[in-house]
Structure formats: structure tokens, C-alpha cells
Amino acid sequence: MIHNQIIIAKTPESAGRCAAQHFRALMQTKPYCVLGLATGSTPIPLYRELIAMNQRGEIDFSTVRTVNLDEYKGLSPEHEQSYRYFMNDNLFNHVNINKANTFVPNGLAADVGAFCLEYEKKIEELGGIDIQLLGIGHDGHIGFNEPDSFFPKITHETQLTEMTREANKRFFDGDIGKVPTAAITMGIGTVMAARKVILIATGKDKAEIVKKSFFGPVDPQVPASILQLHKNCVVILDEEAAGAL
Ligand code: PGA
């Protein structure tokens, strides 16, 4: 049984505005909410809209807490391609959030195993995730949960596939050799425990994987397919990403 609500917006910008309305509704009714955030090109229109809403006084970040999906292993928070840097640059520096309430996995953790357990504990202490935002990789990855023979449960270290490193090399001077080979990511279980999931996919290069993920079998070789079983998952597509449905 598929529970997902699928919304088709015209453009990536209107998909971002649509997602922003879900965030605004949560933030206006639950000031101490916990937002699970994502990086990549896809959420940028959403973050622009959240910044505009904050500037118009429609949403207040002062009591909001955030947890990010993932981080490259080996990159410091100051590295321009780190996901901490991305979040500061694309959202946190432009809204009234207290950065002490924003959590991104530590790519430099000396004991990664212990760090992953702490990250899970942190999410639990915050009261769990109210909305987890996701993009989707061309191989169906969510966070950095790559295709596998099982669905990883909790935050863990993972090796990046060639396809993912190839897709992300555009941020590293086009040089795949500069793209980290490993990352720390929330697990699929962490994502599935969120009270609501919003997955955004835009662009025609995502059309096939969107179809496979939401209209194919639930299969760990297509990690996003597990979202079919989430009770409160909204999939927001632009017309191009919806093109194969
Ligand atoms: P993108 O990445 O938004 O840059 O396409 C999505 C992802 O890999 O999850």
C-alpha cells in the first residue's frame, strides 16, 4: 500500500515554494520544532523561500532546532564544500536561528562509531524530527544511504558510490579525485522515524529514479523506495521530474 502524497509543481521554484508552506505551517504551530535538513542543489529554492518568509516576519527561527542528514568525511566545517558550510551559506546566515541549535554530522570525528551513536542520541533528546527534508540521488540514495542489500538503520559511516561522486564533482572543480570517498549519514531508520518526510525532486534527470522509487518495489537497491511505507511522506516534483509517471 502506497501512502505517499505526490504533488507536481510547475518549476523547481514552485516546488520550493510548495515545500516552504509545509515548513511554515509547522513552524507557526510548533515554535520548538526540529527540522531535518538536506543539502544539494534541490533544496536551494526552498531555502530562498524560507529566508524570504523569515524576512517578511511569517516564520521565526529563534527557537527552532535543526539536524542535517549527512556530511562528507574528512571535510572541516570551514571547507567550502562541507555541508556545514553549505547550510550556513544557504540558510543559517540569513535567518534568525541560533547556530548552537543547528547540528550537522562532524566530518572530522576521530571516533566515528561513537559520534554516530551520539548523533542518534541528540535527535532523540531534541524530541525527534518533525519534518525531514530529502533530495534523491540518481541511484535512489537518500542522505548518503546508497543502494545496498539492506536498509541501514541508524547514523553510520558509508562509502560513496562512483555515481554519487561523479554527480557531486561539479562542486569540486569538476575533479572526481577531490570528492571525498566516505561520509557520515543518518540511517534509513533515522529518516523513517521522522514524523513527516518531504522529498523534493526536480529536473528531467530525476524522472526515472522517481518512478522507480515510488512506483516500483520496495527494495534496498533503491533506498528511497522505503518511503512508500512512511505514513506521512509528501513527494514534491517539478514537471520534469514527474515526466516518467
Ligand atoms: P542534488 O542532490 O539535489 O544536488 O541533485 C540530491 C542528492 O544527492 O540527494
Side-chain angles (χ1 to χ4, degrees):
M1 150 102 66
I2 298 174
H3 300 282
N4 311 140
Q5 181 189 359
I6 298 185
I7 298 172
I8 303 174
K10 204 160 181 57
T11 63
E13 289 67 34
S14 46
R17 280 196 297 275
C18 174
Q21 288 169 20
H22 288 264
F23 280 83
R24 180 173 59 190
L26 171 69
M27 291 168 72
Q28 289 183 345
T29 53
K30 189 173 179 187
Y32 287 86
C33 60
V34 177
L35 306 181
L37 299 179
T39 55
S41 305
T42 308
I44 289 179
L46 161 65
Y47 293 153
R48 283 207 195 105
E49 188 61 22
L50 292 179
I51 293 166
M53 285 176 168
N54 186 234
Q55 284 166 354
R56 292 197 297 264
E58 293 170 16
I59 52 173
D60 175 20
F61 281 88
S62 64
T63 50
V64 167
R65 286 82 48 81
T66 70
V67 284
N68 257 78
L69 267 178
D70 47 16
E71 178 61 284
Y72 286 117
K73 197 163 170 240
L75 297 196
S76 74
E78 293 76 33
H79 191 291
E80 286 193 13
Q81 296 313 330
S82 75
Y83 288 167
R84 159 55 75 181
Y85 189 97
F86 175 100
M87 289 311 303
N88 289 347
D89 200 34
N90 286 286
L91 183 65
F92 301 152
N93 287 348
H94 312 286
V95 296
N96 68 325
I97 201 161
N98 177 355
K99 285 221 187 87
N101 291 335
T102 69
F103 302 94
V104 179
N106 177 6
L108 298 181
D111 183 343
V112 178
F115 174 80
C116 291
L117 293 176
E118 268 169 43
Y119 202 67
E120 289 288 325
K121 204 158 152 247
K122 171 55 73 183
I123 294 171
E124 204 182 302
E125 278 167 14
L126 292 172
I129 299 170
D130 288 297
I131 294 182
Q132 178 61 55
L133 174 67
L134 299 173
I136 184 169
H138 298 103
D139 57 1
H141 71 222
I142 49 177
F144 273 131
N145 292 281
E146 301 280 21
D148 210 328
S149 55
F150 62 99
F151 291 110
K153 195 164 185 307
I154 65 167
T155 302
H156 60 286
E157 177 176 344
T158 184
Q159 301 303 308
L160 304 187
T161 61
E162 194 74 7
M163 188 192 261
T164 297
R165 294 178 67 233
E166 187 64 36
N168 290 3
K169 76 176 184 192
R170 67 191 194 277
F171 301 113
F172 292 85
D173 310 322
D175 179 358
I176 194 169
K178 290 187 183 165
V179 185
T181 55
I184 296 172
T185 182
M186 282 183 194
I188 296 281
T190 327
V191 170
M192 289 297 279
R195 285 182 274 277
K196 177 173 184 155
V197 172
I198 296 180
L199 181 142
I200 310 178
T202 54
K204 58 176 179 301
D205 56 314
K206 297 286 173 70
E208 275 311 314
I209 194 62
V210 163
K211 182 177 169 199
K212 230 171 145 181
S213 299
F214 296 99
F215 294 88
V218 175
D219 177 352
Q221 292 297 339
V222 184
S225 65
I226 200 168
L227 296 171
Q228 291 180 36
L229 305 178
H230 195 284
K231 293 273 162 42
N232 191 8
C233 171
V234 181
V235 180
I236 305 177
L237 309 173
D238 71 348
E239 283 182 350
E240 287 190 353
L245 303 186

